[in-house]
Amino acid sequence: AQSVAQPEDQVNVAEGNPLTVKCTYSVSGNPYLFWYVQYPNRGLQFLLKYITGDNLVKGSYGFEAEFNKSQTSFHLKKPSALVSDSALYFCAVRDIDTGRRALTFGSGTRLQVQP
Amino acid sequence: SAVISQKPSRDICQRGTSLTIQCQVDSQVTMMFWYRQQPGQSLTLIATANQGSEATYESGFVIDKFPISRPNLTFSTLTVSNMSPEDSSIYLCSDFVASGGAETQYFGPGTRLLVL
């Protein structure tokens, strides 16, 4: 079975400071990993993904994430947070060795960026 | 990516009634999924909508409660039947785009359902 853990319900950061939203995963095979963002009253927007190759993945709006196989982590980062980054962030995983196509999501982390 | 639209965007329904949610994708996609997001919760997969055949349901979800249709590669419907307040959720349609190994799921804007 595949699963995702987002250990922080909420992350608070001041505007201009770096931010990190944590994610760890569990799969029996090899993972595809994703980050999505949900703004109030909106659907999920795709931010970035790790499929293979470079462990540092760059995505939309200046976000990046680092895949760490030994720690089974895929933390989302941004060098300088904006107030407009305040939203709900979801990490998701797919075990490519199972043939299951649908993603399994973490519980979500609410990011609050203070001006 | 394929653009996904859903109708209705929101609805308020009485218990015991049914609501059908429509999902339209602007290009043919391999797979479509339906997710539920209960208030303050994460996304839970309801089922995979299979074109031309019965949907594949996840544990805890049954066809009688959530019948799904997918008559072609661009359209699907989810019906929430015999609703109760516990069905109050956001229902999201998702597609699966596989192109050169760059496989990604994209989501529609969601349907916000409140059952009274």
Side-chain angles (χ1 to χ4, degrees):
Chain A
Q2 55 196 40
S3 65
V4 177
Q6 293 182 244
E8 301 155 317
D9 290 337
Q10 181 157 325
V11 170
N12 298 305
V13 63
E15 187 174 31
N17 283 0
L19 69 88
T20 298
V21 182
K22 295 180 181 177
C23 170
T24 58
Y25 66 91
S26 176
V27 296
S28 56
N30 292 295
Y32 284 174
L33 293 154
F34 301 79
W35 276 100
Y36 291 83
V37 59
Q38 186 176 38
Y39 296 100
N41 298 314
R42 304 273 292 274
L44 263 69
Q45 295 181 29
F46 168 73
L47 272 181
L48 53 78
K49 65 188 175 191
Y50 170 82
I51 302 294
T52 187
D54 195 345
N55 289 342
L56 184 63
V57 178
K58 295 187 183 297
S60 305
Y61 312 120
F63 284 94
E64 59 188 28
E66 186 166 12
F67 171 64
N68 187 317
K69 187 171 184 177
S70 63
Q71 298 185 4
T72 62
S73 67
F74 190 57
H75 301 330
L76 181 69
K77 300 181 180 183
K78 187 173 183 181
S80 179
L82 300 172
V83 173
S84 56
D85 292 330
S86 298
L88 187 57
Y89 290 80
F90 290 98
C91 182
V93 69
R94 179 161 81 83
D95 186 336
I96 64 175
D97 295 335
T98 65
R100 177 181 170 88
R101 297 292 194 178
L103 296 176
T104 297
F105 284 82
S107 55
T109 299
R110 187 165 300 281
L111 174 66
Q112 191 69 41
V113 181
Q114 286 111 11
Chain B
S1 65
V3 177
I4 305 172
S5 59
Q6 286 184 233
K7 288 195 291 187
S9 59
R10 60 179 66 238
D11 208 340
I12 300 174
C13 301
Q14 297 298 318
R15 68 172 67 210
T17 64
S18 297
L19 176 72
T20 295
I21 302 167
Q22 299 179 7
C23 176
Q24 179 74 53
V25 186
D26 68 351
S27 60
Q28 293 185 349
V29 293
T30 309
M31 304 183 79
M32 295 177 74
F33 306 97
W34 286 97
Y35 284 82
R36 181 176 72 181
Q37 185 180 20
Q38 294 178 299
Q41 302 294 317
S42 184
L43 281 76
T44 301
L45 180 67
I46 297 172
T48 302
N50 301 309
Q51 194 265 326
S53 64
E54 195 169 285
T56 304
Y57 289 84
E58 296 296 300
S59 176
F61 297 95
V62 295
I63 187 171
D64 290 345
K65 176 67 176 176
F66 297 101
I68 288 170
S69 76
R70 190 177 176 198
N72 56 53
L73 293 176
T74 64
F75 185 78
S76 178
T77 67
L78 168 75
T79 299
V80 186
S81 304
N82 188 25
M83 288 185 285
S84 68
E86 292 71 35
D87 294 320
S88 298
S89 295
I90 301 173
Y91 292 87
L92 295 125
C93 173
S94 171
D95 69 13
F96 178 86
V97 179
S99 175
E103 303 176 344
T104 303
Q105 261 184 259
Y106 295 95
F107 288 82
T111 296
R112 283 156 182 77
L113 172 61
L114 177 63
V115 183
L116 302 177

